[in-house]
């Protein structure tokens, strides 16, 4: 059993290393995650006699008299983890489709209109707050792409744009940390029940806001004077099939729908993916009605949601499927539980703080998934719903990814779009982000431990 467990851990670590070094070895992390997932489940099946819970297996036999241990694993253990993973994947697919549909149909033109200013510092603060709060609704990756596209239309100076682009990265990650739907890791914790919608917003809003405000305050002194451009408020309605009013309607149905999802969960107690499917269905209906209006049969039908679905990044979806199911094997063989017990005496601020720093180097999804496997949700204490550990984990895993430009999906995509070098970001931005990151942790400590909020 020990040999097999060591093999499972070794394969996971090798796979994890390949995922972290995706850019250097030029192998897509999704391929690595899927292969690793299947290999680990096969090894788990080989050692089934040593790993499965005897009492649970006997309970399974009561309803499946002729079942074998292989049947128990494939029909119960595997499907149970797949069900939990699928909730996250369905939510992400729905949210990605909603945001893509709003973007393709001109819904985000609203954003550019709100950045109409010639003051460089005024623009910095507008970008900071808009990115921060949009990220809490749309997710940090999508928000970063939208804001960079808008930024290119209003800022022509390369040096200035690097500052704004860096601010977009940290504001997007900070904004995603305090919202139940703003970051993949927070979504995972929310769906699992580790944090609640109101709990994560109430406790992490101030720390997340500080982690953005302090770096923005420092960065503003690198910008002087006024911008030289034609203006951000011009109407580009002729480039879209919909009128300005229809585009704004699509924006509010899409963005408002995403805000509605936590409310839907709170009222119906159904899983969040049901809420996002409802929002997608309503937005789909609205856009279909707009396309049918005035017999617009000659417009660009490629922007219909049925076509938008073909643009969803399935590579990312398969990565989440592979990595979450691979982590599930570590949970089943007891590795995560043993690791959790080994570090249970550590200070929780230290553990989560280090996880945040680590998330700036490696992907934060498996880090958070591993922590969720280490510790069960308890009735009271730091591991209860909205407990200190889970709240700090949501903050640190989200905001910590901004310390290095490769530490988050938002950073990687902005790095590619604006051609920001790793060295430039580390020299000019990383230390500023670190100050904000630590200030947020301190604010949480004061808020929770000193003030008892």
């Amino acid at each position: 059993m020990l040999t097999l467990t060591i093999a499972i851990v070794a394969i996971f670590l090798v796979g994890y290393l390949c995922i972290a070094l995706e850019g250097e070895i030029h192998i897509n992390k999704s391929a690595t995650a899927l292969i690793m997932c299947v290999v680990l489940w096969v090894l788990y099946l080989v050692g089934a006699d040593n790993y499965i819970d005897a009492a649970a297996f006997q309970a399974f036999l009561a309803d499946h008299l002729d079942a074998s241990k292989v049947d128990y694993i494939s029909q119960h253990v595997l499907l149970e983890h797949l069900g939990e993973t699928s909730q996250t994947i369905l939510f992400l697919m729905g949210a990605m489709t909603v945001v893509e549909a709003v973007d393709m149909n001109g819904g985000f033109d609203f954003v550019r209109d709100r950045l109409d200013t010639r003051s460089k510092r005024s623009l910095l603060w507008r970008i900071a707050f808009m990115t921060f709060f949009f990220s809490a609704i749309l997710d940090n990756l999508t928000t970063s792409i939208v804001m960079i596209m808008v930024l290119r239309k209003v800022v022509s100076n390369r040096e200035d744009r690097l500052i704004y682009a860096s601010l977009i990265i940290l504001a997007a990650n900070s904004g995603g940390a305090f919202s139940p739907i703003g970051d993949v890791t927070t979504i995972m914790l929310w769906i699992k029940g580790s944090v609640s919608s109101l709990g994560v917003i109430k406790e992490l809003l101030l720390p997340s806001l500080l982690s953005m405000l302090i770096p923005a305050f420092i960065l503003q002194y690198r910008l002087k004077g006024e911008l030289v451009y034609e203006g951000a408020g011009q109407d580009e309605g002729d480039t879209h099939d919909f009128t300005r009013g229809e585009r704004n309607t699509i924006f509010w149905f899409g963005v408002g729908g995403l805000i509605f999802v936590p409310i839907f969960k709170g009222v119906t107690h159904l899983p969040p993916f049901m809420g996002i499917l409802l929002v997608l269905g309503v937005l789909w209906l609205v856009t279909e009605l707009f396309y049918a209006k005035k017999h617009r049969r000659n417009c660009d039908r490629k922007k219909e949601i049925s076509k938008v679905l073909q643009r969803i990044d399935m590579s990312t979806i398969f990565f989440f499927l592979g990595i979450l199911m691979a982590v599930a094997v570590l949970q089943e063989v007891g590795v995560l539980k043993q690791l959790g017990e080994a570090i249970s005496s550590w200070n929780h601020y230290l553990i989560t703080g280090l996880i945040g720093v680590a998330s700036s180097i490696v992907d934060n999804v498996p880090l958070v998934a591993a922590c969720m496997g280490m510790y069960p949700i308890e009735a009271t204490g730091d591991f209860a719903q909205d407990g200190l550990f889970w709240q700090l984990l949501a903050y640190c895993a989200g905001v910590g990814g901004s310390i290095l430009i490769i530490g988050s999906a938002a950073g990687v995509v902005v790095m590619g779009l604006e051609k920001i070098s790793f060295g430039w970001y580390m020299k000019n931005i990383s230390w500023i982000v670190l100050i904000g990151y630590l200030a947020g942790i301190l604010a949480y400590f004061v808020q929770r431990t000193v003030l008892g909020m």
Side-chain angles (χ1 to χ4, degrees):
M1 176 180 174
L2 180 60
T3 302
L4 190 59
T5 302
I6 292 174
I8 288 174
V9 173
I11 291 172
F12 181 85
L13 292 176
V14 170
Y16 198 111
L17 182 62
C18 291
I19 291 171
L21 298 177
E22 177 188 23
E24 285 69 29
I25 64 177
H26 304 293
I27 296 177
N28 191 287
K29 63 182 180 183
S30 301
T32 303
L34 290 174
I35 293 172
M36 178 174 63
C37 165
V38 176
V39 171
L40 292 185
W41 275 102
V42 170
L43 291 178
Y44 174 73
L45 190 63
V46 170
D49 290 336
N50 299 310
Y51 295 129
I52 64 174
D53 184 271
F57 178 57
Q58 291 301 318
F60 179 79
L61 287 178
D63 296 323
H64 306 79
L65 298 179
D66 298 326
S68 64
K69 291 182 178 179
V70 173
D71 296 325
Y72 171 71
I73 292 174
S74 60
Q75 297 178 29
H76 180 71
V77 180
L78 182 60
L79 290 184
E80 182 178 342
H81 285 289
L82 181 60
E84 293 180 2
T85 301
S86 296
Q87 291 190 52
T88 302
I89 290 176
L90 280 173
F91 184 92
L92 290 173
M93 290 181 67
M96 291 165 69
T97 306
V98 168
V99 172
E100 186 73 19
V102 172
D103 185 33
M104 289 189 66
N105 287 287
F108 289 121
D109 286 358
F110 164 88
V111 177
R112 199 188 68 165
D113 294 342
R114 297 300 178 273
L115 297 179
D116 189 8
T117 178
R118 292 186 180 277
S119 169
K120 291 183 179 181
R121 291 185 178 178
S122 176
L123 179 63
L124 178 139
W125 287 107
R126 293 188 187 192
I127 287 176
F129 281 105
M130 192 168 287
T131 303
F132 181 83
F133 287 107
F134 269 156
S135 179
I137 303 169
L138 304 179
D139 83 62
N140 47 12
L141 175 59
T142 301
T143 301
S144 298
I145 295 173
V146 170
M147 296 304 296
I148 288 296
M149 294 300 104
V150 173
L151 181 66
R152 287 180 170 181
K153 296 177 182 179
V154 298
V155 179
S156 58
N157 183 277
R158 165 71 176 167
E159 294 181 2
D160 289 344
R161 206 160 68 235
L162 289 180
I163 300 297
Y164 290 122
S166 300
L167 178 65
I168 286 172
I169 295 172
L170 67 95
N173 288 331
S174 295
F178 83 91
S179 165
I181 60 173
D183 184 271
V184 174
T185 53
T186 317
I187 290 172
M188 290 163 56
L189 291 167
W190 179 48
I191 291 176
K192 183 73 172 180
S194 301
V195 297
S196 65
S197 303
L198 293 178
V200 74
I201 293 172
K202 182 183 72 172
E203 296 196 33
L204 294 188
L205 176 57
L206 178 59
S208 298
L209 191 59
L210 276 178
S211 72
M212 180 274 290
L213 288 177
I214 292 175
F217 180 78
I218 297 173
L219 288 174
Q220 72 172 338
Y221 292 104
R222 298 189 182 182
L223 298 169
K224 298 179 181 179
E226 295 188 343
L227 296 164
V228 179
Y229 68 104
E230 296 299 323
Q234 300 176 8
D235 186 7
E236 293 186 349
D238 58 349
T239 65
H240 298 288
D241 297 318
F242 297 142
T243 65
R244 178 185 290 271
E246 289 169 334
R247 296 199 305 272
N248 287 342
T249 299
I250 290 173
F251 173 84
W252 289 113
F253 264 100
V255 175
L258 292 173
I259 297 173
F260 170 73
V261 171
I263 300 174
F264 176 85
K265 180 181 183 296
V267 172
T268 66
H269 302 290
L270 290 171
F273 76 87
M274 294 297 291
I276 203 69
L277 292 180
L278 174 63
V279 173
L280 176 58
V282 171
L283 183 63
W284 200 330
L285 175 62
V286 169
T287 54
E288 288 291 309
L289 292 174
F290 283 167
Y291 274 111
K293 185 180 178 182
K294 298 179 182 179
H295 305 288
R296 290 176 179 159
R297 298 303 178 188
N298 295 323
C299 60
D300 187 2
R301 310 296 288 188
K302 294 180 180 179
K303 297 178 181 179
E304 291 180 316
I305 290 184
S306 57
K307 301 296 190 297
V308 171
L309 286 168
Q310 300 173 13
R311 297 170 56 91
I312 297 303
D313 185 5
M314 291 304 297
S315 173
T316 298
I317 296 299
F318 278 115
F319 167 70
F320 288 134
L321 174 62
I323 197 66
L324 293 177
M325 290 300 289
V327 171
V329 176
L330 297 184
Q331 182 178 345
E332 285 297 323
V333 300
V335 170
L336 296 183
K337 181 179 179 181
Q338 293 174 16
L339 180 59
E341 292 173 349
I343 63 174
S344 60
S345 61
W346 292 16
N347 182 279
H348 291 163
Y349 284 92
L350 175 61
I351 295 175
T352 52
L354 291 176
I355 288 173
V357 175
S359 71
S360 69
I361 304 171
V362 297
D363 198 285
N364 59 4
V365 171
L367 286 175
V368 172
C371 288
M372 291 167 64
M374 286 183 199
Y375 306 107
I377 301 174
E378 299 177 354
T380 59
D382 290 350
F383 293 103
Q385 184 182 63
D386 292 326
L388 183 147
F389 181 85
W390 301 120
Q391 297 280 13
L392 276 174
L393 181 62
Y395 170 82
C396 293
V399 178
S402 304
I403 296 174
L404 296 178
I405 197 170
I406 61 171
S408 66
V412 172
V413 74
V414 172
M415 181 183 188
L417 290 173
E418 288 299 318
K419 303 297 185 290
I420 303 175
S421 71
F422 178 89
W424 181 90
Y425 186 94
M426 188 171 184
K427 178 182 178 181
N428 294 278
I429 307 297
S430 291
W431 65 273
I432 298 176
V433 175
L434 183 60
I435 292 174
Y437 173 69
L438 295 176
I441 295 177
L442 179 60
Y444 183 82
F445 172 79
V446 173
Q447 177 180 280
R448 178 123 187 180
T449 306
V450 178
L451 301 179
M453 296 174 60

